[in-house]
Amino acid sequence: MITKDYERFFKVALEDFQKQSITQLEKLLSTLDLEPTLILTQENLTAEPLVQIIKSDLEDEDKILALTLLMGEWFIAKVSGTWSIAPTEPIDLQKAIISFGYGVLSCSRKSFFPTASWARDLNAGDSIEGAVALLNATAKQWSSEH
């Protein structure tokens, strides 16, 4: 079980993440000449901005954060959802949160989309096209159900 200290830590970390998500995304993408507003308003997410992030000179942790934020904010714009943290029994709290925790919780479905985990997988070489296709399909399904 997660102790009360962990619960408080996760709550504070999540609140900070939610408050800073758009600002952090804009800051990271501005170094790559990507415009978050244009990407976030697209009907379907495309692979190009994800590829650009992965191939950039950003440090791996910044790439993963940028991917997490971009996929999550796009997903939130398409469905009724909010940033959340996946339930986990943390070993290393910071790594647990960014590796598996941040994602989007659907308000209507109470389903969780693990954007941070996907970001780490994409940065490690998983199929961007496959991820984009699944992300677009899931967003359409979720948004049609509320």
PDB file of all heavy atoms in Angstrom, residues 2 6-7 9-15 17-18 82-88 93 96-98 100-105 112:
ATOM      1  N   ILE A   2       0.351   2.258  -0.659  1.00  0.00           N
ATOM      2  CA  ILE A   2       1.045   3.537  -0.669  1.00  0.00           C
ATOM      3  C   ILE A   2       0.716   4.250   0.632  1.00  0.00           C
ATOM      4  O   ILE A   2      -0.432   4.390   1.004  1.00  0.00           O
ATOM      5  CB  ILE A   2       0.608   4.384  -1.880  1.00  0.00           C
ATOM      6  CG1 ILE A   2       1.003   3.681  -3.167  1.00  0.00           C
ATOM      7  CG2 ILE A   2       1.214   5.765  -1.806  1.00  0.00           C
ATOM      8  CD1 ILE A   2       0.530   4.397  -4.406  1.00  0.00           C
ATOM      9  N   TYR A   6       3.452   9.052   0.742  1.00  0.00           N
ATOM     10  CA  TYR A   6       3.493   8.883  -0.707  1.00  0.00           C
ATOM     11  C   TYR A   6       2.287   9.556  -1.348  1.00  0.00           C
ATOM     12  O   TYR A   6       2.394  10.217  -2.369  1.00  0.00           O
ATOM     13  CB  TYR A   6       3.515   7.412  -1.107  1.00  0.00           C
ATOM     14  CG  TYR A   6       4.828   6.719  -0.878  1.00  0.00           C
ATOM     15  CD1 TYR A   6       4.853   5.375  -0.517  1.00  0.00           C
ATOM     16  CD2 TYR A   6       6.042   7.374  -1.027  1.00  0.00           C
ATOM     17  CE1 TYR A   6       6.057   4.723  -0.305  1.00  0.00           C
ATOM     18  CE2 TYR A   6       7.242   6.735  -0.809  1.00  0.00           C
ATOM     19  CZ  TYR A   6       7.249   5.401  -0.454  1.00  0.00           C
ATOM     20  OH  TYR A   6       8.430   4.765  -0.257  1.00  0.00           O
ATOM     21  N   GLU A   7       1.126   9.391  -0.745  1.00  0.00           N
ATOM     22  CA  GLU A   7      -0.087   9.993  -1.293  1.00  0.00           C
ATOM     23  C   GLU A   7       0.050  11.516  -1.350  1.00  0.00           C
ATOM     24  O   GLU A   7      -0.315  12.138  -2.340  1.00  0.00           O
ATOM     25  CB  GLU A   7      -1.306   9.592  -0.468  1.00  0.00           C
ATOM     26  CG  GLU A   7      -1.698   8.141  -0.652  1.00  0.00           C
ATOM     27  CD  GLU A   7      -2.835   7.719   0.283  1.00  0.00           C
ATOM     28  OE1 GLU A   7      -3.371   8.585   1.016  1.00  0.00           O
ATOM     29  OE2 GLU A   7      -3.163   6.530   0.266  1.00  0.00           O
ATOM     30  N   PHE A   9       2.884  13.199  -1.429  1.00  0.00           N
ATOM     31  CA  PHE A   9       3.905  13.498  -2.422  1.00  0.00           C
ATOM     32  C   PHE A   9       3.315  13.459  -3.831  1.00  0.00           C
ATOM     33  O   PHE A   9       3.532  14.361  -4.632  1.00  0.00           O
ATOM     34  CB  PHE A   9       5.072  12.497  -2.322  1.00  0.00           C
ATOM     35  CG  PHE A   9       6.106  12.702  -3.384  1.00  0.00           C
ATOM     36  CD1 PHE A   9       7.099  13.653  -3.232  1.00  0.00           C
ATOM     37  CD2 PHE A   9       6.073  11.957  -4.554  1.00  0.00           C
ATOM     38  CE1 PHE A   9       8.050  13.855  -4.215  1.00  0.00           C
ATOM     39  CE2 PHE A   9       7.017  12.152  -5.550  1.00  0.00           C
ATOM     40  CZ  PHE A   9       8.003  13.102  -5.378  1.00  0.00           C
ATOM     41  N   PHE A  10       2.548  12.400  -4.136  1.00  0.00           N
ATOM     42  CA  PHE A  10       1.941  12.265  -5.461  1.00  0.00           C
ATOM     43  C   PHE A  10       0.964  13.401  -5.733  1.00  0.00           C
ATOM     44  O   PHE A  10       0.906  13.934  -6.838  1.00  0.00           O
ATOM     45  CB  PHE A  10       1.225  10.919  -5.615  1.00  0.00           C
ATOM     46  CG  PHE A  10       2.152   9.772  -5.890  1.00  0.00           C
ATOM     47  CD1 PHE A  10       2.123   8.647  -5.085  1.00  0.00           C
ATOM     48  CD2 PHE A  10       3.040   9.798  -6.948  1.00  0.00           C
ATOM     49  CE1 PHE A  10       2.970   7.573  -5.334  1.00  0.00           C
ATOM     50  CE2 PHE A  10       3.890   8.739  -7.215  1.00  0.00           C
ATOM     51  CZ  PHE A  10       3.853   7.619  -6.403  1.00  0.00           C
ATOM     52  N   LYS A  11       0.183  13.782  -4.727  1.00  0.00           N
ATOM     53  CA  LYS A  11      -0.794  14.850  -4.906  1.00  0.00           C
ATOM     54  C   LYS A  11      -0.098  16.162  -5.242  1.00  0.00           C
ATOM     55  O   LYS A  11      -0.489  16.860  -6.176  1.00  0.00           O
ATOM     56  CB  LYS A  11      -1.643  15.001  -3.643  1.00  0.00           C
ATOM     57  CG  LYS A  11      -2.705  16.060  -3.779  1.00  0.00           C
ATOM     58  CD  LYS A  11      -3.551  16.187  -2.526  1.00  0.00           C
ATOM     59  CE  LYS A  11      -4.591  17.270  -2.747  1.00  0.00           C
ATOM     60  NZ  LYS A  11      -5.285  17.635  -1.559  1.00  0.00           N
ATOM     61  N   VAL A  12       0.951  16.498  -4.496  1.00  0.00           N
ATOM     62  CA  VAL A  12       1.692  17.736  -4.741  1.00  0.00           C
ATOM     63  C   VAL A  12       2.384  17.677  -6.098  1.00  0.00           C
ATOM     64  O   VAL A  12       2.338  18.637  -6.877  1.00  0.00           O
ATOM     65  CB  VAL A  12       2.709  18.005  -3.605  1.00  0.00           C
ATOM     66  CG1 VAL A  12       3.657  19.134  -3.971  1.00  0.00           C
ATOM     67  CG2 VAL A  12       1.972  18.314  -2.311  1.00  0.00           C
ATOM     68  N   ALA A  13       3.012  16.548  -6.407  1.00  0.00           N
ATOM     69  CA  ALA A  13       3.707  16.399  -7.690  1.00  0.00           C
ATOM     70  C   ALA A  13       2.721  16.541  -8.848  1.00  0.00           C
ATOM     71  O   ALA A  13       3.012  17.206  -9.849  1.00  0.00           O
ATOM     72  CB  ALA A  13       4.420  15.049  -7.757  1.00  0.00           C
ATOM     73  N   LEU A  14       1.562  15.932  -8.723  1.00  0.00           N
ATOM     74  CA  LEU A  14       0.557  16.008  -9.781  1.00  0.00           C
ATOM     75  C   LEU A  14       0.030  17.430  -9.939  1.00  0.00           C
ATOM     76  O   LEU A  14      -0.106  17.926 -11.061  1.00  0.00           O
ATOM     77  CB  LEU A  14      -0.597  15.041  -9.504  1.00  0.00           C
ATOM     78  CG  LEU A  14      -1.729  15.051 -10.525  1.00  0.00           C
ATOM     79  CD1 LEU A  14      -1.217  14.705 -11.923  1.00  0.00           C
ATOM     80  CD2 LEU A  14      -2.827  14.097 -10.100  1.00  0.00           C
ATOM     81  N   GLU A  15      -0.251  18.104  -8.841  1.00  0.00           N
ATOM     82  CA  GLU A  15      -0.738  19.484  -8.919  1.00  0.00           C
ATOM     83  C   GLU A  15       0.284  20.378  -9.614  1.00  0.00           C
ATOM     84  O   GLU A  15      -0.081  21.195 -10.464  1.00  0.00           O
ATOM     85  CB  GLU A  15      -1.070  20.018  -7.524  1.00  0.00           C
ATOM     86  CG  GLU A  15      -2.329  19.413  -6.938  1.00  0.00           C
ATOM     87  CD  GLU A  15      -2.540  19.752  -5.467  1.00  0.00           C
ATOM     88  OE1 GLU A  15      -1.657  20.395  -4.839  1.00  0.00           O
ATOM     89  OE2 GLU A  15      -3.598  19.373  -4.928  1.00  0.00           O
ATOM     90  N   PHE A  17       2.619  19.387 -11.729  1.00  0.00           N
ATOM     91  CA  PHE A  17       2.685  18.944 -13.122  1.00  0.00           C
ATOM     92  C   PHE A  17       1.526  19.542 -13.922  1.00  0.00           C
ATOM     93  O   PHE A  17       1.726  20.056 -15.022  1.00  0.00           O
ATOM     94  CB  PHE A  17       2.660  17.418 -13.187  1.00  0.00           C
ATOM     95  CG  PHE A  17       2.930  16.862 -14.555  1.00  0.00           C
ATOM     96  CD1 PHE A  17       4.222  16.689 -15.005  1.00  0.00           C
ATOM     97  CD2 PHE A  17       1.877  16.493 -15.387  1.00  0.00           C
ATOM     98  CE1 PHE A  17       4.476  16.172 -16.267  1.00  0.00           C
ATOM     99  CE2 PHE A  17       2.113  15.968 -16.649  1.00  0.00           C
ATOM    100  CZ  PHE A  17       3.419  15.807 -17.087  1.00  0.00           C
ATOM    101  N   GLN A  18       0.315  19.489 -13.368  1.00  0.00           N
ATOM    102  CA  GLN A  18      -0.864  20.028 -14.055  1.00  0.00           C
ATOM    103  C   GLN A  18      -0.715  21.530 -14.302  1.00  0.00           C
ATOM    104  O   GLN A  18      -1.026  22.017 -15.385  1.00  0.00           O
ATOM    105  CB  GLN A  18      -2.130  19.770 -13.234  1.00  0.00           C
ATOM    106  CG  GLN A  18      -2.549  18.328 -13.220  1.00  0.00           C
ATOM    107  CD  GLN A  18      -3.662  18.051 -12.219  1.00  0.00           C
ATOM    108  OE1 GLN A  18      -3.756  18.693 -11.175  1.00  0.00           O
ATOM    109  NE2 GLN A  18      -4.495  17.075 -12.520  1.00  0.00           N
ATOM    110  N   THR A  82      -8.095  14.607 -17.723  1.00  0.00           N
ATOM    111  CA  THR A  82      -7.190  15.447 -16.957  1.00  0.00           C
ATOM    112  C   THR A  82      -5.921  14.651 -16.660  1.00  0.00           C
ATOM    113  O   THR A  82      -5.926  13.419 -16.691  1.00  0.00           O
ATOM    114  CB  THR A  82      -7.861  15.913 -15.649  1.00  0.00           C
ATOM    115  OG1 THR A  82      -6.994  16.825 -14.989  1.00  0.00           O
ATOM    116  CG2 THR A  82      -8.191  14.757 -14.730  1.00  0.00           C
ATOM    117  N   TRP A  83      -4.843  15.355 -16.359  1.00  0.00           N
ATOM    118  CA  TRP A  83      -3.602  14.684 -15.963  1.00  0.00           C
ATOM    119  C   TRP A  83      -3.847  13.919 -14.669  1.00  0.00           C
ATOM    120  O   TRP A  83      -4.557  14.391 -13.788  1.00  0.00           O
ATOM    121  CB  TRP A  83      -2.468  15.687 -15.753  1.00  0.00           C
ATOM    122  CG  TRP A  83      -1.897  16.200 -17.033  1.00  0.00           C
ATOM    123  CD1 TRP A  83      -2.061  17.456 -17.555  1.00  0.00           C
ATOM    124  CD2 TRP A  83      -1.079  15.486 -17.964  1.00  0.00           C
ATOM    125  NE1 TRP A  83      -1.401  17.548 -18.745  1.00  0.00           N
ATOM    126  CE2 TRP A  83      -0.779  16.359 -19.019  1.00  0.00           C
ATOM    127  CE3 TRP A  83      -0.580  14.187 -18.008  1.00  0.00           C
ATOM    128  CZ2 TRP A  83       0.001  15.986 -20.106  1.00  0.00           C
ATOM    129  CZ3 TRP A  83       0.197  13.813 -19.098  1.00  0.00           C
ATOM    130  CH2 TRP A  83       0.487  14.702 -20.128  1.00  0.00           C
ATOM    131  N   SER A  84      -3.238  12.757 -14.569  1.00  0.00           N
ATOM    132  CA  SER A  84      -3.343  11.938 -13.374  1.00  0.00           C
ATOM    133  C   SER A  84      -2.047  11.155 -13.221  1.00  0.00           C
ATOM    134  O   SER A  84      -1.154  11.250 -14.057  1.00  0.00           O
ATOM    135  CB  SER A  84      -4.542  10.983 -13.511  1.00  0.00           C
ATOM    136  OG  SER A  84      -4.741  10.287 -12.303  1.00  0.00           O
ATOM    137  N   ILE A  85      -1.954  10.402 -12.163  1.00  0.00           N
ATOM    138  CA  ILE A  85      -0.806   9.520 -11.933  1.00  0.00           C
ATOM    139  C   ILE A  85      -1.339   8.112 -11.787  1.00  0.00           C
ATOM    140  O   ILE A  85      -2.266   7.866 -11.013  1.00  0.00           O
ATOM    141  CB  ILE A  85      -0.009   9.921 -10.677  1.00  0.00           C
ATOM    142  CG1 ILE A  85       0.571  11.324 -10.851  1.00  0.00           C
ATOM    143  CG2 ILE A  85       1.088   8.903 -10.382  1.00  0.00           C
ATOM    144  CD1 ILE A  85       1.291  11.850  -9.626  1.00  0.00           C
ATOM    145  N   ALA A  86      -0.754   7.205 -12.558  1.00  0.00           N
ATOM    146  CA  ALA A  86      -1.168   5.804 -12.478  1.00  0.00           C
ATOM    147  C   ALA A  86      -0.839   5.269 -11.094  1.00  0.00           C
ATOM    148  O   ALA A  86       0.223   5.567 -10.542  1.00  0.00           O
ATOM    149  CB  ALA A  86      -0.461   4.965 -13.531  1.00  0.00           C
ATOM    150  N   PRO A  87      -1.721   4.459 -10.541  1.00  0.00           N
ATOM    151  CA  PRO A  87      -1.409   3.857  -9.243  1.00  0.00           C
ATOM    152  C   PRO A  87      -0.175   2.965  -9.369  1.00  0.00           C
ATOM    153  O   PRO A  87      -0.075   2.170 -10.292  1.00  0.00           O
ATOM    154  CB  PRO A  87      -2.646   3.021  -8.919  1.00  0.00           C
ATOM    155  CG  PRO A  87      -3.669   3.371  -9.938  1.00  0.00           C
ATOM    156  CD  PRO A  87      -2.994   4.058 -11.061  1.00  0.00           C
ATOM    157  N   THR A  88       0.756   3.136  -8.461  1.00  0.00           N
ATOM    158  CA  THR A  88       1.970   2.331  -8.488  1.00  0.00           C
ATOM    159  C   THR A  88       2.558   2.269  -7.091  1.00  0.00           C
ATOM    160  O   THR A  88       2.380   3.181  -6.298  1.00  0.00           O
ATOM    161  CB  THR A  88       3.008   2.894  -9.484  1.00  0.00           C
ATOM    162  OG1 THR A  88       4.145   2.051  -9.498  1.00  0.00           O
ATOM    163  CG2 THR A  88       3.450   4.294  -9.130  1.00  0.00           C
ATOM    164  N   LEU A  93      10.571   7.251  -6.207  1.00  0.00           N
ATOM    165  CA  LEU A  93       9.385   8.048  -6.498  1.00  0.00           C
ATOM    166  C   LEU A  93       9.505   8.873  -7.778  1.00  0.00           C
ATOM    167  O   LEU A  93       8.605   8.871  -8.602  1.00  0.00           O
ATOM    168  CB  LEU A  93       9.069   8.962  -5.319  1.00  0.00           C
ATOM    169  CG  LEU A  93       8.600   8.269  -4.052  1.00  0.00           C
ATOM    170  CD1 LEU A  93       8.424   9.288  -2.936  1.00  0.00           C
ATOM    171  CD2 LEU A  93       7.312   7.525  -4.306  1.00  0.00           C
ATOM    172  N   ALA A  96       9.521   6.586 -10.798  1.00  0.00           N
ATOM    173  CA  ALA A  96       8.227   5.913 -10.937  1.00  0.00           C
ATOM    174  C   ALA A  96       7.195   6.844 -11.547  1.00  0.00           C
ATOM    175  O   ALA A  96       6.436   6.445 -12.426  1.00  0.00           O
ATOM    176  CB  ALA A  96       7.743   5.408  -9.582  1.00  0.00           C
ATOM    177  N   ILE A  97       7.187   8.076 -11.113  1.00  0.00           N
ATOM    178  CA  ILE A  97       6.197   9.018 -11.634  1.00  0.00           C
ATOM    179  C   ILE A  97       6.439   9.291 -13.112  1.00  0.00           C
ATOM    180  O   ILE A  97       5.528   9.169 -13.922  1.00  0.00           O
ATOM    181  CB  ILE A  97       6.207  10.334 -10.832  1.00  0.00           C
ATOM    182  CG1 ILE A  97       5.639  10.089  -9.443  1.00  0.00           C
ATOM    183  CG2 ILE A  97       5.386  11.401 -11.542  1.00  0.00           C
ATOM    184  CD1 ILE A  97       5.744  11.285  -8.520  1.00  0.00           C
ATOM    185  N   ILE A  98       7.648   9.652 -13.500  1.00  0.00           N
ATOM    186  CA  ILE A  98       7.880  10.007 -14.897  1.00  0.00           C
ATOM    187  C   ILE A  98       7.903   8.772 -15.784  1.00  0.00           C
ATOM    188  O   ILE A  98       7.500   8.823 -16.930  1.00  0.00           O
ATOM    189  CB  ILE A  98       9.146  10.873 -15.093  1.00  0.00           C
ATOM    190  CG1 ILE A  98       9.138  11.524 -16.480  1.00  0.00           C
ATOM    191  CG2 ILE A  98      10.409  10.097 -14.890  1.00  0.00           C
ATOM    192  CD1 ILE A  98       8.005  12.476 -16.745  1.00  0.00           C
ATOM    193  N   PHE A 100       6.190   5.821 -15.376  1.00  0.00           N
ATOM    194  CA  PHE A 100       4.915   5.149 -15.537  1.00  0.00           C
ATOM    195  C   PHE A 100       3.717   5.991 -15.156  1.00  0.00           C
ATOM    196  O   PHE A 100       2.605   5.698 -15.547  1.00  0.00           O
ATOM    197  CB  PHE A 100       4.893   3.868 -14.694  1.00  0.00           C
ATOM    198  CG  PHE A 100       6.030   2.966 -15.004  1.00  0.00           C
ATOM    199  CD1 PHE A 100       7.104   2.853 -14.145  1.00  0.00           C
ATOM    200  CD2 PHE A 100       6.051   2.245 -16.179  1.00  0.00           C
ATOM    201  CE1 PHE A 100       8.170   2.032 -14.435  1.00  0.00           C
ATOM    202  CE2 PHE A 100       7.114   1.419 -16.486  1.00  0.00           C
ATOM    203  CZ  PHE A 100       8.176   1.310 -15.612  1.00  0.00           C
ATOM    204  N   GLY A 101       3.942   7.029 -14.363  1.00  0.00           N
ATOM    205  CA  GLY A 101       2.821   7.666 -13.711  1.00  0.00           C
ATOM    206  C   GLY A 101       2.010   8.659 -14.493  1.00  0.00           C
ATOM    207  O   GLY A 101       0.795   8.553 -14.533  1.00  0.00           O
ATOM    208  N   TYR A 102       2.627   9.650 -15.128  1.00  0.00           N
ATOM    209  CA  TYR A 102       1.830  10.702 -15.741  1.00  0.00           C
ATOM    210  C   TYR A 102       1.081  10.184 -16.956  1.00  0.00           C
ATOM    211  O   TYR A 102       1.616   9.473 -17.788  1.00  0.00           O
ATOM    212  CB  TYR A 102       2.692  11.894 -16.149  1.00  0.00           C
ATOM    213  CG  TYR A 102       3.181  12.691 -14.971  1.00  0.00           C
ATOM    214  CD1 TYR A 102       4.539  12.782 -14.692  1.00  0.00           C
ATOM    215  CD2 TYR A 102       2.286  13.354 -14.150  1.00  0.00           C
ATOM    216  CE1 TYR A 102       4.993  13.514 -13.609  1.00  0.00           C
ATOM    217  CE2 TYR A 102       2.732  14.083 -13.056  1.00  0.00           C
ATOM    218  CZ  TYR A 102       4.089  14.162 -12.801  1.00  0.00           C
ATOM    219  OH  TYR A 102       4.529  14.878 -11.734  1.00  0.00           O
ATOM    220  N   GLY A 103      -0.163  10.585 -17.010  1.00  0.00           N
ATOM    221  CA  GLY A 103      -1.009  10.205 -18.124  1.00  0.00           C
ATOM    222  C   GLY A 103      -2.303  10.989 -18.029  1.00  0.00           C
ATOM    223  O   GLY A 103      -2.415  11.926 -17.252  1.00  0.00           O
ATOM    224  N   VAL A 104      -3.256  10.573 -18.823  1.00  0.00           N
ATOM    225  CA  VAL A 104      -4.539  11.266 -18.876  1.00  0.00           C
ATOM    226  C   VAL A 104      -5.628  10.353 -18.338  1.00  0.00           C
ATOM    227  O   VAL A 104      -5.762   9.216 -18.782  1.00  0.00           O
ATOM    228  CB  VAL A 104      -4.866  11.688 -20.326  1.00  0.00           C
ATOM    229  CG1 VAL A 104      -6.242  12.334 -20.390  1.00  0.00           C
ATOM    230  CG2 VAL A 104      -3.797  12.625 -20.867  1.00  0.00           C
ATOM    231  N   LEU A 105      -6.393  10.863 -17.382  1.00  0.00           N
ATOM    232  CA  LEU A 105      -7.529  10.143 -16.826  1.00  0.00           C
ATOM    233  C   LEU A 105      -8.787  10.690 -17.485  1.00  0.00           C
ATOM    234  O   LEU A 105      -9.068  11.878 -17.415  1.00  0.00           O
ATOM    235  CB  LEU A 105      -7.601  10.350 -15.309  1.00  0.00           C
ATOM    236  CG  LEU A 105      -8.755   9.666 -14.585  1.00  0.00           C
ATOM    237  CD1 LEU A 105      -8.610   8.143 -14.673  1.00  0.00           C
ATOM    238  CD2 LEU A 105      -8.788  10.112 -13.128  1.00  0.00           C
ATOM    239  N   PHE A 112      -7.461   5.232 -17.986  1.00  0.00           N
ATOM    240  CA  PHE A 112      -6.176   5.912 -17.854  1.00  0.00           C
ATOM    241  C   PHE A 112      -5.332   5.658 -19.089  1.00  0.00           C
ATOM    242  O   PHE A 112      -5.165   4.516 -19.512  1.00  0.00           O
ATOM    243  CB  PHE A 112      -5.441   5.417 -16.605  1.00  0.00           C
ATOM    244  CG  PHE A 112      -4.191   6.172 -16.305  1.00  0.00           C
ATOM    245  CD1 PHE A 112      -4.248   7.416 -15.695  1.00  0.00           C
ATOM    246  CD2 PHE A 112      -2.953   5.656 -16.641  1.00  0.00           C
ATOM    247  CE1 PHE A 112      -3.089   8.118 -15.408  1.00  0.00           C
ATOM    248  CE2 PHE A 112      -1.794   6.352 -16.355  1.00  0.00           C
ATOM    249  CZ  PHE A 112      -1.860   7.591 -15.737  1.00  0.00           C
TER     250      PHE A 112
END
